[in-house]
Amino acid sequence: MNTTTLTTTNTTDFEPPKWLKECLLSQNISGDREADDDRSLICRAFEFAYQLHQGQYRKSGEPYIAHPVAVAGLLRDLGGDRAMIAAGFLHDVVEDTDVTVEEIEELFGSQVRQLVEGVTKLSKFNFSSKTERQAENFRRMFIAMAKDIRVIVVKLADRLHNMRTLEHLKPEKQQRIALETREIFAPLANRLGIGRFKWELEDLAFKYLEPDAYQEIQELVAERRSDREARLEKAIENLRSRLGEIGIHVWEVNGRPKHLYSIYQKMQRQQKEFGEIFDIAAVRIILETKDECYRTLAVVHDSFRPIPGRFKDYIALPKPNRYQSLHTTVVGLNGRPLEVQIRTLEMHQIAEYGIAAHWKYKETGGSSNTQLNTADEKFTWLRQLLEWQNDLKDAQEYIESLKDNLFEDDVYVFTPQGDVIALAKGSTPVDFAYRIHTEVGNHMKGARVNGRWSVLETELHNGDIVEIITSKNSHPSLDWLNFAVTPSARNKIRQWYKRSHRDENLARGRDLLEKELGKNGTLSVLKSEAMQAVAERCNYQNVDDLLAALGYGEVTLNSVVNKLRDEVKAQQPIEESESDKQETKILTTDSGKNDVYTASCSKVRKSDSPIAGVEGLLHYIAGCCRPVPGEPIIGIVTRGAKGISIHRQGCSNVEDIPGDRLIPVSWNREGNNGRCQTYPVNISIEVLDRVGVFKDILARLSDQKINIRNAGVKTSEGKPALISLEIDIRDCEQLERSLNQIRKMSDVLNLRRVSGVDCE
């Protein structure tokens, strides 16, 4: 990802690093054909990128090629293969130059193309917001990861180097990139087990997001360095001597301070000052075998007094990212706590390099084992992301769910058969049931935890044995959404509710269409070819599916009516009797009465009024349908002294009005002297009742700069909540845009526009 803007500042020529110089000088001279092929691909990729980035410079003033070279170097240090290193050189060329992915494949092969394409941002596509762009980038990235897990490793190397050079950007951009790094990319590095990337990404993000705290902790750690190193050295000498006495060969014993951000997190979590945090350093012991790890643990506990409750066995129960180690905290010298980590050399490699520790790529015969096996338990988290990301249409909700899924610590529970299931922290038996299988969750009747019946909202803990009791007559309850934690479980509950209430949604959709077109008109239209064509245009197989979607809120009433109008026009064109008259009948009911019109008065004089066609006459916007600019309207001459009431075409109050009282009118776009006038609109939203859903809806309206006149919420236990809002709208486009943002929320079951007040 290119997060640094290009500039044209002149600077000195680029100096390749030592490893790249050696690669360039040793092409085709080793006699080892495979090694020569590797070097050839890497060198060709560098030379290609060097030429394409000529004349491009970073904000720091250095040639832009320094960035892809640094990314390639990070991938080389991780043990990446030639395709990864080549992709490191080329990851920005599609975005920043005219080169296509097809050209990349032709020159460097399909694997390099796949990696470059997976890393490239969607900068050449248009999105309505930065959040939507970010969400689409992440959706594409995770899909690419499922094809080749190396994509995310290239992405992480790219982000790490950009974070290392972030000081050259404007403060607001530093904050945005650092926040995204801490919330998305550092947790991703952790999920993949690449510890060396994770810690540095977190510390760099900390530096820009809390600069004062970062500086303070950095100075305090440096200030006490000599005392800390002296204590660690004594503890290390003690352990090395004791281990040597019993014949355990130690690869390495070292002491290190904890990373700055982890110290800051502990201070925040425990509400303590720096001076109250004693275990800011750890001793790491690296051995040869697993057996020696447990023998060494006994030596540590014999040499120092262990602190109860501070021992974790990640060897017997590895983390989802395959991290393995024994962690224990003991009372060290001078009575200060000391953390000790014990692992084998292989475990240490995995802890530092994660998934990159065991690259085994087969680049011959067209096969590669880099494709992700989502059935593999260690990639449960990624499989879950792939399962629910397409269900979350709203960009903001997707980003929030992504953060939650990446950040959450895991708890490990067991099936009655002894299989280990990793779940997000705070998960309940409902999350466990849906993790086993969708049908297990959908037919869940109860649960036993550790052999005892348990309420479904019980929080699960490490080591719990969970048994799910099912019944064919049982089904999910909306109440489960109040305590289900995992996005996968929550989405499966919503999907069941949507399917099981199809008849209700179908009736609601039919009712909405009937109110818009009139009862008689709806009966004839639903069976028409035009309506079937509308269903297909909306990507539904038949009219019933379209009506159910309309009732559920997947499509809008305006969208259906407008498409229907277009289809009727195309199938039954009407000749105009007068060329200057633009009043067109679109739909006709069985009684021959017009239900929907398009009225436009091109010859009327423009005025300060927003309505054209009523110049000099007393008029007002009808409270029953409350039309807004952009919607077809019709005027009615009232019998009292109120003048002309302006209605939406199709309003039920217009149906029985004689034709001689109807006046063709239209919106005057140039009226009102350019003032930004707003119009009240009432909407009703049926939502799944959860904490924060009302706040999320208001936030989306606020993003559209919409004022809320009135708001009300009605709730009933076990049933959806009903939210009523009266909002101020400028025009039809703003209304549709705002309502679509709300409809995209997965908690929204139905959204409809309702009448304001009754008309006389």
Side-chain angles (χ1 to χ4, degrees):
M1 176 186 290
N2 170 27
T3 57
T4 53
T5 307
L6 300 181
T7 182
T8 56
T9 305
N10 291 323
T11 187
T12 57
D13 292 336
F14 171 70
E15 180 71 15
K18 182 179 179 180
W19 71 269
L20 182 54
K21 285 183 179 179
E22 292 175 353
C23 182
L24 293 169
L25 293 172
S26 61
Q27 292 186 74
N28 302 319
I29 62 172
S30 68
D32 183 335
R33 181 175 179 180
E34 184 174 351
D36 287 341
D37 288 344
D38 288 350
R39 279 191 289 268
S40 174
L41 180 68
I42 292 170
C43 293
R44 287 191 293 110
F46 163 71
E47 291 164 355
F48 188 70
Y50 183 84
Q51 294 298 324
L52 288 171
H53 289 302
Q54 280 279 15
Q56 294 179 343
Y57 297 87
R58 309 188 88 208
K59 283 290 187 181
S60 61
E62 64 181 344
Y64 191 81
I65 188 63
H67 169 62
V69 167
V71 172
L74 287 169
L75 295 170
R76 175 180 174 273
D77 292 341
L78 277 182
D81 68 341
R82 63 177 189 171
M84 288 180 67
I85 298 172
F89 286 125
L90 302 169
H91 74 275
D92 276 337
V93 298
V94 174
E95 182 179 335
D96 293 338
T97 72
D98 294 330
V99 171
T100 65
V101 291
E102 289 76 18
E103 292 177 89
I104 295 292
E105 180 173 4
E106 182 179 350
L107 293 170
F108 303 103
S110 59
Q111 284 197 38
V112 176
R113 175 215 168 128
Q114 187 166 285
L115 294 175
V116 172
E117 192 171 18
V119 175
T120 299
K121 287 193 306 184
L122 301 182
S123 58
K124 297 181 180 179
F125 294 83
N126 296 317
F127 298 103
S128 60
S129 68
K130 289 182 179 179
T131 300
E132 186 178 347
R133 178 188 297 275
Q134 185 188 43
E136 283 304 319
N137 284 336
F138 287 131
R139 290 181 199 273
R140 176 169 175 168
M141 182 174 67
F142 287 120
I143 292 172
M145 283 171 61
K147 297 178 181 177
D148 193 333
I149 199 68
R150 293 175 296 176
V151 167
I152 191 55
V153 183
V154 178
K155 192 90 169 179
L156 288 171
D158 172 40
R159 176 51 61 103
L160 178 55
H161 184 254
N162 278 322
M163 287 298 297
R164 288 176 176 176
T165 57
L166 203 60
E167 71 270 15
H168 303 289
L169 300 183
K170 294 180 179 179
E172 57 271 18
K173 197 166 186 180
Q174 290 175 347
Q175 291 273 323
R176 177 179 61 79
I177 295 172
L179 183 62
E180 184 182 68
T181 297
R182 189 165 74 184
E183 292 185 341
I184 302 293
F185 288 98
L188 269 174
N190 181 53
R191 285 288 190 176
L192 294 173
I194 310 177
R196 56 168 49 194
F197 277 19
K198 184 244 187 186
W199 294 117
E200 188 174 356
L201 287 170
E202 283 187 340
D203 278 358
L204 289 169
F206 178 37
K207 176 181 177 181
Y208 291 100
L209 293 174
E210 284 93 16
D212 293 338
Y214 175 87
Q215 185 69 26
E216 180 183 0
I217 294 175
Q218 186 181 47
E219 291 174 356
L220 289 170
V221 169
E223 183 180 310
R224 305 184 185 185
R225 178 178 177 181
S226 58
D227 290 342
R228 182 178 62 252
E229 288 181 346
R231 291 196 309 271
L232 289 176
E233 188 58 36
K234 289 181 180 179
I236 289 172
E237 288 177 4
N238 184 315
L239 290 172
R240 193 187 295 273
S241 174
R242 291 288 304 274
L243 293 172
E245 290 174 2
I246 61 175
I248 293 180
H249 174 67
V250 178
W251 275 96
E252 182 181 349
V253 183
N254 59 49
R256 60 170 184 83
K258 290 190 174 181
H259 296 274
L260 300 183
Y261 185 61
S262 67
I263 297 174
Y264 175 74
Q265 282 182 304
K266 178 167 288 190
M267 291 170 60
Q268 295 296 309
R269 186 170 57 249
Q270 299 179 3
Q271 293 296 299
K272 292 182 178 180
E273 297 295 328
F274 180 83
E276 300 176 274
I277 304 294
F278 296 112
D279 53 340
I280 64 170
V283 171
R284 182 178 294 155
I285 305 173
I286 301 176
L287 308 162
E288 288 186 341
T289 68
K290 185 189 299 184
D291 177 66
E292 289 177 339
C293 290
Y294 288 99
R295 292 172 61 197
T296 298
L297 177 67
V299 171
V300 171
H301 284 178
D302 186 54
S303 302
F304 304 98
R305 182 162 57 88
I307 298 177
R310 299 294 299 274
F311 169 66
K312 295 180 180 179
D313 187 347
Y314 293 119
I315 293 180
L317 202 61
K319 291 184 177 183
N321 61 13
R322 298 187 299 168
Y323 176 89
Q324 288 183 289
S325 187
L326 297 177
H327 287 195
T328 186
T329 303
V330 298
V331 179
L333 302 177
N334 301 325
R336 291 176 175 269
L338 176 67
E339 182 180 328
V340 181
Q341 300 174 357
I342 308 168
R343 62 182 69 148
T344 67
L345 181 60
E346 181 182 2
M347 293 174 189
H348 179 64
Q349 292 294 316
I350 294 174
E352 290 290 300
Y353 299 102
I355 192 171
H358 296 296
W359 297 124
K360 293 180 181 178
Y361 301 127
K362 299 176 182 179
E363 296 181 334
T364 58
S367 65
S368 171
N369 70 344
T370 63
Q371 184 171 348
L372 175 64
N373 178 11
T374 55
D376 194 330
E377 187 65 28
K378 58 180 171 285
F379 291 119
T380 295
W381 61 276
L382 181 53
R383 183 180 68 249
Q384 291 173 344
L385 286 179
L386 294 171
E387 283 177 355
W388 57 257
Q389 72 169 358
N390 290 327
D391 294 329
L392 297 180
K393 304 299 183 183
D394 180 64
Q396 185 64 45
E397 187 176 5
Y398 172 72
I399 293 294
E400 292 303 321
S401 297
L402 176 61
K403 294 174 186 175
D404 291 342
N405 192 278
L406 290 176
F407 256 135
E408 288 291 348
D409 295 329
D410 291 303
V411 295
Y412 303 92
V413 297
F414 296 89
T415 68
Q417 292 74 35
D419 296 326
V420 180
I421 302 296
L423 294 169
K425 187 176 181 179
S427 290
T428 65
V430 170
D431 299 288
F432 178 89
Y434 279 105
R435 174 70 178 81
I436 298 299
H437 195 278
T438 301
E439 289 305 307
V440 174
N442 285 343
H443 295 286
M444 181 180 183
K445 181 180 180 181
R448 291 191 183 98
V449 178
N450 300 324
R452 297 182 178 180
W453 284 99
S454 177
V455 294
L456 297 185
E457 50 263 66
T458 299
E459 182 177 339
L460 300 177
H461 299 92
N462 283 323
D464 284 345
I465 301 174
V466 185
E467 180 183 2
I468 302 299
I469 311 302
T470 61
S471 169
K472 64 179 181 180
N473 296 323
S474 298
H475 57 76
S477 167
L478 290 178
D479 290 339
W480 293 3
L481 292 171
N482 294 324
F483 52 80
V485 170
T486 57
S488 177
R490 295 176 62 83
N491 281 310
K492 288 172 181 176
I493 294 168
R494 293 189 186 103
Q495 290 299 318
W496 179 89
Y497 184 87
K498 177 180 174 181
R499 291 193 304 271
S500 65
H501 289 71
R502 176 178 169 82
D503 291 342
E504 294 177 21
N505 294 327
L506 187 62
R508 186 182 291 117
R510 188 186 300 271
D511 182 60
L512 289 172
L513 200 60
E514 185 176 292
K515 287 182 178 179
E516 186 71 17
L517 303 181
K519 186 172 183 179
N520 293 334
T522 304
L523 291 174
S524 59
V525 166
L526 290 181
K527 299 178 181 180
S528 67
E529 293 182 4
M531 196 66 189
Q532 177 61 34
V534 171
E536 293 173 359
R537 284 179 60 181
C538 294
N539 297 316
Y540 296 99
Q541 291 185 350
N542 52 57
V543 175
D544 280 354
D545 288 346
L546 174 62
L547 292 176
L550 180 61
Y552 187 69
E554 282 187 339
V555 294
T556 67
L557 182 60
N558 273 351
S559 173
V560 173
V561 171
N562 288 336
K563 287 182 174 65
L564 181 59
R565 183 183 294 116
D566 292 342
E567 288 297 329
V568 172
K569 278 184 177 180
Q571 295 180 17
Q572 298 178 355
I574 302 174
E575 295 184 2
E576 301 290 337
S577 58
E578 298 178 28
S579 60
D580 61 342
K581 203 169 187 178
Q582 297 180 30
E583 183 175 328
T584 306
K585 183 172 73 174
I586 304 304
L587 295 178
T588 303
T589 65
D590 292 340
S591 62
K593 181 175 59 180
N594 297 339
D595 288 300
V596 180
Y597 292 86
T598 299
S600 175
C601 303
S602 59
K603 293 186 178 181
V604 296
R605 177 180 59 84
K606 301 295 181 186
S607 71
D608 288 348
S609 169
I611 308 298
V614 292
E615 290 76 6
L617 301 175
L618 183 64
H619 61 278
Y620 64 95
I621 301 295
C624 55
C625 53
R626 290 188 166 180
V628 296
E631 295 181 318
I633 53 177
I634 190 74
I636 299 177
V637 179
T638 63
R639 287 196 170 91
K642 292 185 177 181
I644 299 172
S645 61
I646 308 300
H647 296 254
R648 271 192 290 159
Q649 291 186 10
C651 174
S652 58
N653 288 321
V654 182
E655 292 181 1
D656 298 324
I657 302 298
D660 58 355
R661 290 178 55 198
L662 298 179
I663 298 178
V665 293
S666 64
W667 292 101
N668 183 1
R669 290 294 185 180
E670 298 179 7
N672 209 31
N673 285 331
R675 295 193 297 270
C676 186
Q677 185 169 340
T678 60
Y679 302 83
V681 171
N682 293 79
I683 58 175
S684 176
I685 312 169
E686 187 181 10
V687 299
L688 299 176
D689 191 6
R690 68 163 173 84
V691 176
V693 66
F694 186 49
K695 178 183 175 182
D696 292 343
I697 291 173
L698 297 185
R700 280 158 176 77
L701 292 174
S702 177
D703 290 342
Q704 299 293 327
K705 295 180 172 53
I706 290 176
N707 178 56
I708 300 172
R709 291 191 175 195
N710 292 300
V713 180
K714 292 182 180 180
T715 61
S716 299
E717 186 175 353
K719 295 182 179 180
L722 188 64
I723 299 175
S724 301
L725 296 175
E726 183 180 13
I727 57 179
D728 287 331
I729 293 295
R730 291 193 306 271
D731 53 35
C732 185
E733 291 183 2
Q734 187 190 36
L735 177 62
E736 281 301 303
R737 186 167 59 249
S738 305
L739 298 189
N740 283 337
Q741 287 296 316
I742 298 175
R743 284 191 182 95
K744 289 178 181 178
M745 296 175 58
S746 56
D747 293 301
V748 173
L749 303 175
N750 182 45
L751 187 155
R752 62 189 181 93
R753 186 170 165 187
V754 297
S755 300
V757 297
D758 293 333
C759 293
E760 296 182 358

